[in-house]
């Protein structure tokens, strides 16, 4: 956790992004780390946890991080939390809470509220389009015997 916190503080000092850092650990060793680089990279997905997950997957040569734990300087936002679940990380440790983040103008409460709503009631309109044509790729997946499931 100290490394994640140091990454967050160093990131602010360097001007590379927000006050967020994360490390992924497997068997007591850091296998991936990241600091927020949203503004530096002009990438809204460049959160510390996302960058740490990508680094750990590259480092280990896998897409599943089972057997790993993540240490984040702040409670993960909804995007990062979903990515942590997709990566199958075993445990989440965090320093600051989402309420702490809201106190410094990083408020994820809106996103949590939106996710709880049916798609038709969310702030960004969302509609189904070309479902029959879109199903083709799903059917190909179902019919492919040598796929690598995840």
């Amino acid at each position: 956790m100290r490394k994640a916190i140091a990454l967050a503080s160093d990131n602010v000092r360097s001007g590379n992004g927000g006050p967020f850092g994360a490390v992924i650990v497997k068997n007591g060793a850091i296998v991936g780390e990241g600091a927020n680089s949203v503004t530096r990279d002009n990438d809204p997905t460049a959160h510390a946890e996302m960058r740490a997950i990508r680094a750990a997957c590259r480092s280990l040569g896998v897409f599943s991080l089972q057997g790993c734990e993540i240490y984040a300087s702040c409670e993960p936002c909804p995007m990062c939390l979903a990515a942590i679940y997709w990566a199958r990380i075993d445990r989440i440790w965090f320093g600051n809470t989402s309420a702490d983040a809201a106190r410094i103008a990083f408020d994820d409460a809106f996103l949590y509220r939106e996710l709880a709503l049916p798609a038709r009631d969310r702030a960004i309109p969302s509609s189904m389009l070309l479902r029959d044509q879109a199903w083709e790729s799903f059917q190909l997946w179902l019919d492919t015997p040598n796929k690598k499931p995840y």
Side-chain angles (χ1 to χ4, degrees):
M1 181 58 80
R2 286 180 182 87
K3 177 67 173 177
I5 293 166
L7 286 167
S9 295
D10 291 346
N11 204 48
V12 173
R13 286 186 199 101
S14 70
N16 284 327
F20 305 98
V23 296
I24 296 178
V25 174
K26 183 170 187 168
N27 299 325
I30 294 175
V31 295
E33 63 182 52
N36 179 288
S37 64
V38 169
T39 55
R40 182 194 72 197
D41 296 344
N42 293 317
D43 179 353
T45 69
H47 289 199
E49 298 90 337
M50 302 293 283
R51 296 188 68 220
I53 288 168
R54 292 171 185 148
C57 288
R58 274 192 310 273
S59 169
L60 297 172
V62 298
F63 59 81
S64 171
L65 295 175
Q66 282 183 310
C68 295
E69 297 182 342
I70 188 166
Y71 294 79
S73 64
C74 185
E75 185 175 1
C77 75
M79 174 183 68
C80 294
L81 184 60
I84 289 165
Y85 274 87
W86 276 115
R88 294 171 175 77
I89 292 172
D90 293 355
R91 183 166 176 102
I92 303 166
W93 300 91
F94 60 89
N96 292 309
T97 67
S98 59
D100 295 331
R103 286 180 43 215
I104 63 164
F106 289 93
D107 189 1
D108 301 330
F110 168 75
L111 296 173
Y112 282 110
R113 284 192 305 274
E114 284 287 297
L115 291 172
L117 295 173
R120 69 180 177 276
D121 296 335
R122 294 180 185 154
I124 297 176
S126 159
S127 303
M128 190 180 336
L129 182 64
L130 299 176
R131 184 174 184 203
D132 292 339
Q133 291 87 340
W135 181 258
E136 181 182 338
S137 61
F138 280 17
Q139 190 63 53
L140 285 168
W141 176 259
L142 287 173
D143 296 342
T144 300
N146 60 346
K147 62 185 168 262
K148 189 172 186 177
Y150 60 96

